[in-house]
């Protein structure tokens, strides 16, 4: 988590670089998609989610991270500030008609990709679907054909 600070992230980068095996991408977590302004105030952060995510992204990238886990709502702002290089992993993806569950900042798969997401995290809309394979096929179709 980027809230762990620069020293922690730099230690992770150092460990990966010193490894003689596969070197994975290092992705820092920003603000959870289930968190909104009230939760941020509760832990002592300003209630501006975008501002917090951008600050954490700068810290993470300066610390050697390859990208961020962030809401698709913050992806476009990150792309504007940091370009295409950071990998953006975006949870809180909900296909049309899916419930938002405990998530506060959600987007559809098509909206998230348009906003600049690199990878989509789609959990409950697939795992809770009576036929997960059909759910995945519908999501793929929406990405290729656009949403109705």
């Amino acid at each position: 988590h980027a809230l762990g600070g620069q020293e922690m992230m730099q230690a992770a980068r150092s460990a990966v670089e010193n490894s003689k095996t596969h070197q994975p991408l290092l992705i820092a977590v920003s603000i959870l998609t289930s968190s909104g302004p009230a939760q941020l105030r509760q832990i002592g952060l300003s209630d501006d989610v975008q501002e917090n995510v951008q600050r954490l992204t700068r810290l993470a990238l300066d610390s050697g991270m390859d990208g961020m886990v962030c809401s698709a709502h913050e992806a476009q702002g990150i792309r504007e500030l940091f370009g295409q290089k950071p990998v953006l992993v975006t949870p809180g993806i909900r296909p049309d008609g899916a419930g938002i569950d405990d998530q506060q900042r959600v987007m559809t798969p098509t909206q998230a990709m348009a906003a600049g997401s690199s990878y989509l995290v789609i959990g409950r809309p697939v795992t809770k679907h009576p036929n997960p394979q059909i759910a995945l096929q519908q999501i793929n179709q929406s990405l290729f054909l656009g949403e109705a």
Side-chain angles (χ1 to χ4, degrees):
H1 203 295
L3 287 172
Q6 185 174 38
E7 186 176 328
M8 180 195 74
M9 290 184 283
Q10 287 175 335
R13 171 53 61 201
S14 179
V16 165
E17 287 178 354
N18 292 327
S19 171
K20 302 215 185 301
T21 61
H22 172 74
Q23 294 188 2
L25 294 173
L26 290 176
I27 310 297
V29 176
S30 63
I31 302 296
L32 301 177
T33 54
S34 58
S35 296
Q39 287 83 7
L40 294 181
R41 282 190 304 274
Q42 191 176 52
I43 62 170
L45 297 175
S46 75
D47 59 358
D48 186 322
V49 175
Q50 181 77 17
E51 178 183 301
N52 282 295
V53 170
Q54 289 176 357
R55 185 179 326 105
L56 289 169
T57 299
R58 181 173 309 283
L59 176 64
L61 297 177
D62 288 349
S63 300
M65 299 294 101
D66 296 303
M68 295 299 287
V69 175
C70 64
S71 159
H73 286 270
E74 289 86 48
Q76 184 173 358
I78 290 173
R79 291 286 180 228
E80 289 170 3
L81 285 174
F82 304 103
Q84 295 302 309
K85 187 174 181 184
V87 174
L88 301 183
V89 178
T90 55
I93 304 302
R94 296 296 189 262
D96 276 339
I100 64 169
D101 302 303
D102 64 335
Q103 302 297 290
Q104 293 197 27
R105 298 182 331 276
V106 301
M107 277 193 184
T108 67
T110 302
Q111 291 169 330
M113 294 304 292
S117 298
S118 306
Y119 297 97
L120 307 178
V121 179
I122 309 171
R124 286 172 278 195
V126 174
T127 62
K128 302 276 186 195
H129 193 280
N131 188 330
Q133 185 173 0
I134 289 175
L136 287 171
Q137 289 170 344
Q138 291 170 341
I139 292 165
N140 282 333
Q141 185 175 20
S142 76
L143 288 167
F144 290 108
L145 301 177
E147 289 142 352

